[in-house]
Structures are given as C-alpha cells and as structure tokens.
C-alpha cells in the first residue's frame, strides 16, 4: 500500500511536469525478427582504393590493399612479408597481386624467381602472357653468350661497387673481411677503376690486380708488396670462383646489352641456380645492388621488388645489410619490398637474427598462411599477433590467410579470376587428381552461382533505394 503523502506528491508532480516514468509492455518476438534491432557490424577496412585481394571471411566485405595508397596514413613502411607452408596459396597471391598492380600505368615490378620446373621459372607463363622475356641467369648459358651482370658496371657508383665486392666475398667466406684483406681489395679496386677507361672493368681485372699489386699500393701504407699480395690472396681466390669457377660466365664480363629496365615487369629467372648453394645469396646480392643503381630512379613511378625464397637474403648477415640499405633508400623513391618466406624460424634463429629482426620490423604488412601449431605460436610471438589469430593459423585452408596491416588484423580469402587461374596455378596437373579437379570445378561453379545471386540481390536492392530516394525528393 503506497503512502498517501507520496501518492499525492506524485500526482501533483505529474500534473505540473507531465508523467516522468513510463511503463513499457514486454514484447514477444522471434530471433529472426529481433535481429534487425542489433545491426551487423564489422571492423573498418583499408579503404576502397588499390588492388582487390579477395574478401574478409567474417564480414564478407571486399578486401582491398595497396601499400602506396596506405603509406603515411595507415602504413609507416610499404614493405610486405608473406609466410606459410607450401601449397597454401602464397604463389597464387603474389602472381595475382602483381598482375593487378600492373593495371596501374605508374607501376613497375621486379621479381627474383628462384623456383621453377622444366628449365624455366614459375613466372615464365606470366612473362610470356605480357610479352616479356625473363632475364635467365644460368652459368651454362652464360658461357654461350647468355645474360651477364657486371658488378663493376659503370652505372653503379664506386662506393656501391666496393660494397658489393665486399659482400660477395663475405658471403662466400662466411665471415667478415679483416682490415688487411679489406685494404688489399680497396687498393685493387681503386687501381682498376683509375686505369681501365676504354671498356667496362670486370672481375678478372680485380683478380689480376690482387695477384700482382702495384708497388704504389704498398708504399702508401709503408708495407712490402709481398704483404699486400698475401693479404689479398683469399679475396682473389673467392672472386676467381666467379671468373673461372662454378659461377663463371654470369658476372665476369660487361653487362648484357638490351636488358629493358623500363618494362612494366622484369623477371630474373634464378631457377637454374642451386637454391641451397652459396651461389644464391651471392646472386641476390649482385642483383639487388645492380637494381639499386640502375632501376630505382626518382621518376615518380611506384616500384615493387618481389623476392621468392627470401630467406637467402634475410639469413645472410652481409646480404641482409645490403637489402636493409635498399629498403631504407627505396622508401623515399616509392619502392615496396615483398619478401616470401616459408618459415619465420628459418631466419629468426639463423646466423643473421639481428639483421632479420631489422628487416622484419620494416615490413608493416604481414600475411600468414597455414602453419603448424608450434610454428604459428613462434610466428605470433615474433610478429606480435593477437592470440585469436595465432590460434586459427593452423586451421586455415588453402587460399585463406591472416593479414596484419600495421595492427589491422583480418582473415582474408584470396579470390582468383578465371582469366588468372591458368597463369597462377601452374602445378595443378602434378598435385591434383582428376577427381579432385572435378570437385574443385564444381565448388567453383557453386561459388560463382552464389556470388551472382548475391550481386543480383544487391543490384535490385540498390535500385529499390534509388527509386525510394527519387519518390522522397518528388
């Protein structure tokens, strides 16, 4: 029973100010009808300008990514790291990404293609489709007037040449040059550049000078000529491998005339080089520095440098230092470096852990395909991924990856068009049975039908919106 005084007070207040409390009757409805009360939400995307990758798995929205559009606002650096086990879609992603980037007229791409079958790299089909001849670096072909890249090419600065020579030697020796060997190399390089002016200096000139140093070189340091010769002996032996050893022909002559550095796509086919030999990091160092001085120019073009089997770079301290400089330098001139690695443990536990950490830090975009649980946990710790992302990495199916774009983490399904499919899936005949291909074709047909129905629905929905807006204006 309410107190009479309270009831009188409430009645007087309602008379003066109106009823201040309403009683709402309960509503009984179904979950299908009530879902309109709680509208669906999704994390913001990366914008609508750039290259479409696919769609977000959880929201269904299109996923668009472009480091050049995002740089500065959402990305501190345009570099990209792609990780994952073989067979999960890394190669298809790289190839479609490049094909879609090349639709922009101000884009240029260089690919270091370290994989291949039947004597050609796996980018060969795409190069042929675009009317481009890959630059095939092959020691056997080089002996028969094949492609050559000269580390002493005049287009490379004197400082760049010396840095490249040091890197080649340090990679081959597995340790840094001591001061005496470095001095012998420096004076031999300086003498060759000063005296050979009628043609391009080549590596054999450096080797000859190391074996027979000039007296002036010894006098400058007040040492005997025999001492300078002894200091440069190991250096000469290493460089001799490029001149007369298993890598002969590729680097011991003038740079091949006719390499088109203005083509939209430049493919260096390294598939004839043993990926596990010392030749691969040496080759990557030479190509990287050569491109730094001949390809990257302040001409407002956006450039993409994509490296397959990039652990050869990140796992070598000397090559990693060169590429570190390239990444810092290239950022000012519109360069996006894309490194493709199978396992992060290949590099973070290797000899170049410090250099690897520096390069990984520069990669503001990380795409991780399926990995085993222990590898996923290690990757998550190094890259600072959220716990939920680490937990789903081992469950990802081919074509789906976790994307971390400077902290914006999404699960994305990569979509490949029918036109792109024969160019990017070059090993399907070897890896799939006919029954699997038939099932895959049926699945793709079902996906296309579902997407067509969704597109038709959205088209009708937009048309209805347009009609309603016109009637409102009228």
């Amino acid at each position: 029973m309410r107190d009479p005084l309270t009831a009188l007070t409430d009645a007087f207040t309602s008379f003066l100010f109106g009823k201040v409390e309403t009683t709402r009757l309960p509503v009984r409805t179904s979950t299908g009808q009530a879902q309109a009360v709680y509208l669906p939400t999704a994390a913001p995307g990366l914008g609508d300008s750039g290259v479409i990758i696919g769609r977000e798995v959880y929201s269904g929205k299109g996923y668009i990514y472009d480091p050049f559009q995002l740089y500065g606002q959402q990305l501190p650096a345009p570099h990209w790291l792609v990780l994952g086990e073989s067979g999960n879609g890394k190669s298809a992603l790289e190839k479609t990404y490049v094909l879609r980037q090349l639709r922009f007229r101000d884009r240029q791409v260089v690919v270091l293609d370290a994989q291949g079958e039947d004597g050609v790299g796996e980018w060969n089909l795409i190069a042929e489709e675009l009317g481009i001849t890959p630059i095939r670096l092959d020691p056997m072909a080089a002996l028969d007037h094949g492609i050559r890249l000269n580390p002493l090419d005049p287009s490379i600065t004197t400082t760049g040449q010396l840095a490249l020579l040091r890197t080649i030697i340090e990679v081959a020796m597995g340790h840094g040059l001591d001061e005496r060997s470095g001095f012998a190399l420096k004076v031999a390089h300086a003498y060759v550049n000063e005296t050979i002016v009628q043609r391009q200096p080549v590596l054999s000139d450096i080797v000859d000078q190391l074996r027979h140093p000039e007296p002036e070189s010894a006098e400058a340091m007040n040492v005997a000529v025999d001492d300078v010769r002894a200091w440069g002996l190991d250096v000469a032996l290493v460089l001799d491998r490029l001149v007369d050893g298993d890598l002969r022909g590729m680097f011991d002559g003038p740079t091949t005339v006719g390499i088109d550095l203005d083509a939209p796509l430049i493919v260096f086919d390294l598939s004839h080089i043993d990926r596990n030999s010392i030749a691969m990091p040496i080759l990557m160092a030479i190509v990287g520095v050569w491109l730094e001085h001949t390809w990257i120019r302040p001409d407002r073009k956006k450039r993409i440098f994509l490296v397959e089997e990039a652990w050869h770079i990140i796992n070598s301290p000397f090559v990693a230092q060169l590429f570190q400089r390239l990444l810092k330098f290239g950022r000012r001139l519109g360069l996006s470096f894309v490194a493709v690695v199978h396992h992060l443990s290949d590099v973070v536990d290797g000899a170049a852990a410090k250099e690897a950490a520096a390069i990984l830090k520069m990669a503001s975009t990380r795409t991780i395909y399926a990995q085993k649980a222990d590898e996923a946990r290690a990757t998550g710790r190094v890259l600072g991924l959220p716990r939920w992302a680490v937990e789903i990495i081992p469950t990802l199916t081919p074509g789906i990856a976790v994307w971390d774009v400077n902290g914006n983490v999404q699960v994305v399904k990569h979509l490949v068009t029918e036109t792109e499919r024969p160019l990017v899936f070059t090993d399907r005949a070897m890896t799939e049975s006919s029954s699997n291909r038939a099932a895959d074709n049926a699945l793709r047909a079902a996906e296309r039908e579902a997407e067509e129905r969704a597109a038709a629905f959205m088209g009708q929905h937009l048309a209805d919106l347009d009609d309603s807006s016109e009637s409102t204006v009228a």
Side-chain angles (χ1 to χ4, degrees):
M1 192 73 178
R2 295 183 66 190
D3 178 39
L5 182 59
T6 301
L8 181 62
T9 302
D10 290 345
F12 181 72
T13 302
S14 299
F15 175 75
L16 288 179
F17 304 107
K19 192 170 179 65
V20 295
E21 183 178 346
T22 61
T23 302
R24 182 172 296 170
L25 296 176
V27 176
R28 297 181 181 277
T29 184
S30 67
T31 55
Q33 294 171 324
Q35 67 181 352
V37 177
Y38 302 97
L39 297 176
T41 59
L46 300 175
D48 57 2
S49 180
V51 172
I52 186 164
I53 300 297
R55 59 170 175 258
E56 296 174 14
V57 169
Y58 298 139
S59 70
K61 296 191 304 181
Y63 192 80
I64 296 174
Y65 169 78
D66 192 302
F68 305 111
Q69 297 292 331
L70 299 174
Y71 177 67
Q73 295 293 325
Q74 294 173 267
L75 276 182
H79 309 306
W80 180 16
L81 176 68
V82 183
L83 291 166
E85 302 275 359
S86 296
N88 281 285
K90 298 193 307 297
S91 180
L93 173 66
E94 301 154 26
K95 292 172 181 174
T96 55
Y97 175 74
V98 167
L99 287 169
R100 295 168 190 179
Q101 280 282 5
L102 290 177
R103 297 183 68 86
F104 297 98
R105 284 181 290 183
D106 65 341
R107 304 292 158 90
Q108 273 192 310
V109 182
V110 163
V111 175
L112 299 193
D113 182 6
Q115 304 187 70
E117 295 179 356
D118 299 326
V120 295
E122 65 171 320
W123 284 77
N124 192 67
L125 274 178
I126 290 178
E128 286 183 351
E129 183 71 15
L130 299 177
I132 292 166
T133 302
I135 301 170
R136 186 161 294 118
L137 292 171
D138 179 359
M140 300 305 296
L143 295 175
D144 188 25
H145 306 290
I147 298 295
R148 283 190 175 91
L149 295 179
N150 185 11
L152 302 178
D153 192 310
S155 61
I156 302 176
T157 63
T158 302
T159 303
Q161 291 175 10
L162 185 58
L164 180 53
L165 290 173
R166 287 187 65 102
T167 299
I168 292 170
I169 296 161
E170 289 170 339
V171 169
M173 297 176 67
H175 59 78
L177 280 180
D178 60 37
E179 293 300 326
R180 295 181 177 184
S181 297
F183 172 77
L185 176 64
K186 183 179 73 171
V187 296
H189 175 252
Y191 182 82
V192 166
N193 271 347
E194 289 171 3
T195 58
I196 299 178
V197 294
Q198 301 299 322
R199 58 175 175 83
Q200 283 191 18
V202 293
L203 285 179
S204 57
D205 298 322
I206 301 288
V207 174
D208 289 341
Q209 187 59 29
L210 286 167
R211 288 171 173 166
H212 308 288
E214 296 298 316
E216 293 83 358
S217 302
E219 292 170 2
M221 294 297 292
N222 196 25
V223 294
V225 174
D226 289 341
D227 289 335
V228 177
R229 182 182 298 108
W231 297 346
L233 180 59
D234 287 343
V235 175
L237 291 173
V238 171
L239 292 180
D240 185 65
R241 180 179 179 183
L242 301 182
V243 174
D244 198 31
D246 53 344
L247 297 179
R248 67 189 184 281
M250 293 190 294
F251 311 115
D252 57 336
T255 299
T256 301
V257 177
I259 296 177
D260 185 7
L261 294 178
D262 294 320
L265 174 64
I266 305 169
V267 177
F268 286 87
D269 183 349
L270 314 181
S271 60
H272 287 260
I273 309 297
D274 182 359
R275 283 181 282 172
N276 297 313
S277 75
I278 197 65
M280 187 61 80
I282 290 176
L283 189 59
M284 289 198 170
I286 292 175
V287 172
V289 173
W290 188 74
L291 287 171
E292 175 187 352
H293 290 273
T294 59
W295 178 58
I296 300 175
R297 301 187 291 270
D299 55 5
R300 296 186 177 275
K301 285 200 173 184
K302 306 295 189 295
R303 291 179 167 86
I304 299 168
F305 188 14
L306 190 151
V307 183
E308 302 264 15
E309 301 288 336
W311 71 271
H312 292 290
I313 290 173
I314 304 177
N315 205 36
S316 168
F318 312 108
V319 182
Q321 289 167 10
L322 273 179
F323 272 77
Q324 238 181 296
R325 188 186 74 242
L326 176 63
L327 267 59
K328 291 178 180 178
F329 172 75
R331 189 164 57 180
R332 300 196 305 269
L333 296 175
L335 174 70
S336 172
F337 177 67
V338 184
V340 184
V341 181
H342 286 268
H343 306 290
L344 204 55
S345 59
D346 290 340
V347 293
V348 297
D349 298 330
K354 180 180 178 182
E355 291 79 5
I359 289 180
L360 293 176
K361 188 176 180 180
M362 291 184 187
S364 300
T365 301
R366 288 83 67 90
T367 300
I368 305 96
Y369 282 89
Q371 296 179 330
K372 294 181 176 64
D374 55 347
E375 186 74 27
R377 287 192 292 270
T379 299
R381 284 194 300 271
V382 173
L383 300 184
L385 297 175
R387 181 177 176 182
W388 67 266
V390 173
E391 290 176 349
I392 68 169
I393 287 173
T395 69
L396 296 174
T397 56
I400 299 179
V402 170
W403 281 67
D404 177 8
V405 182
N406 196 34
N408 185 324
V409 184
Q410 300 286 348
V411 182
V412 179
K413 178 178 175 58
H414 173 222
L415 298 179
V416 182
T417 68
E418 289 302 314
T419 302
E420 295 167 328
R421 192 170 294 275
L423 297 176
V424 303
F425 291 128
T426 56
D427 61 346
R428 296 175 69 86
M430 293 294 294
T431 58
E432 295 183 348
S433 66
S434 58
S435 59
N436 285 340
R437 289 197 297 274
D440 189 50
N441 290 335
L443 178 61
R444 292 204 306 272
E447 287 181 346
R448 286 197 303 272
E449 184 179 350
E451 290 171 359
E452 289 170 0
R453 287 200 301 268
F457 172 80
M458 287 302 297
Q460 183 60 47
H461 179 62
L462 292 174
D464 294 342
L465 287 176
D466 289 341
D467 293 341
S468 62
S469 63
E470 289 176 0
S471 60
T472 302
V473 172

